[in-house]
Amino acid sequence: MSRGGGRGHTRVKTSRGRTPQSNRWLERQLNDPYVKKAKAEGYRSRAAYKIIELDEKFGFLKGSKRVLDLGLAPGGWTQVVRRRLPNAAVVGIDLLPVDPIDGAIILQMDFMDDAAPERLIEELGGAPDLIVSDMAANTVGHPQTDALRTMGLVEAALEFAIQVLEPGGAFVSKVFAGGADSQLVAEMKRNFTTVKHAKPPSSRKGSVEWFVVAQGFKGRSEPEPE
């Protein structure tokens, strides 16, 4: 590696074992202030700052007692929740293995598994008042397909949230550029007092990700008597 530019920019030399794309990724990581900050502050990924910045803007963590983290790997969001809410019950789920996080229960399973919703609530010990989701589908390299697959996960997470959240609770989820589609936003507005889109400063400018923050869950309406 070499340094250039006079401002401490680390440049990665071409390696026979790396593709140009890998070189660009490595160079970006080495020069990313959030990567450096995460390492210094003990977070597993720069993604920790996304939830920190979203919470600074919307304040959804305050007062939460039971929190679910959907798609938690490698664990940065759960680390933030545990640091800010040391007395809250926290359960996370991901397909990938995740190293233990003190005070959190981690399930390695597919959120789309029929058994997942019941297992999450069972491990949490009751209804959540906050559900956060950084879930994204594995990419296939076709932007429209990737977006549709991820939005399918968002829809499933929202449906789950509407079924299990405590009244007054919040739902925070990654979406793609342009935010959630109009039908999804309409569903959120029917069920939450406020629905906002945001792109935190730590979300890379070139990234297509945005986040939706729905607060003030109105509660499940009782079915009409027959």
Side-chain angles (χ1 to χ4, degrees):
M1 289 178 288
S2 62
R3 293 188 176 275
R7 301 176 87 182
H9 181 89
T10 302
R11 204 172 279 159
V12 179
K13 289 181 179 177
T14 304
S15 165
R16 207 175 272 175
R18 283 194 302 264
T19 64
Q21 185 180 8
S22 297
N23 269 353
R24 286 194 297 272
W25 180 87
L26 183 56
E27 189 166 324
R28 185 177 68 178
Q29 289 293 105
L30 290 169
N31 291 288
D32 187 326
Y34 284 102
V35 172
K36 295 172 183 176
K37 192 175 179 184
K39 191 173 182 180
E41 296 184 0
Y43 288 119
R44 294 181 181 180
S45 70
R46 67 188 306 287
Y49 298 101
K50 297 173 189 176
I51 192 171
I52 288 171
E53 290 163 353
L54 288 168
D55 183 56
E56 285 170 353
K57 187 169 185 177
F58 298 105
F60 48 80
L61 285 175
K62 188 178 179 181
S64 297
K65 294 180 175 64
R66 293 193 187 98
V67 183
L68 291 177
D69 184 355
L70 312 180
L72 85 154
W77 282 28
T78 287
Q79 285 182 299
V80 172
V81 173
R82 286 293 302 139
R83 289 188 190 186
R84 297 203 168 190
L85 303 171
N87 298 316
V90 184
V91 178
I93 185 171
D94 204 287
L95 267 172
L96 299 172
V98 177
D99 289 336
I101 295 171
D102 187 45
I105 295 170
I106 297 171
L107 305 178
Q108 186 183 351
M109 65 187 302
D110 188 349
F111 173 69
M112 301 302 283
D113 186 317
D114 289 344
E118 188 176 344
R119 179 83 188 279
L120 283 165
I121 300 304
E122 181 186 320
E123 294 289 353
L124 194 63
D129 44 26
L130 173 62
I131 295 176
V132 296
S133 173
D134 198 24
M135 288 193 296
N138 291 331
T139 57
V140 297
H142 184 262
Q144 288 83 2
T145 302
D146 292 337
L148 284 172
R149 291 175 70 198
T150 290
M151 288 313 296
L153 290 174
V154 177
E155 288 170 9
L158 174 62
E159 185 179 339
F160 171 64
I162 291 169
Q163 292 299 315
V164 302
L165 268 176
E166 283 278 11
F171 172 68
V172 180
S173 178
K174 176 190 285 184
V175 291
F176 268 155
D181 66 35
S182 56
Q183 193 173 345
L184 203 61
V185 170
E187 181 70 7
M188 288 181 188
K189 287 183 174 177
R190 276 195 294 272
N191 289 281
F192 294 86
T193 306
T194 63
V195 178
K196 304 284 186 184
H197 282 94
K199 188 174 179 69
S202 55
S203 182
R204 290 187 172 113
K205 289 180 181 178
S207 168
V208 295
E209 72 178 5
W210 278 68
F211 292 86
V212 63
V213 179
Q215 294 173 278
F217 180 57
K218 296 174 184 178
R220 291 162 293 287
S221 52
E222 295 298 321
E224 294 288 331
E226 293 185 8

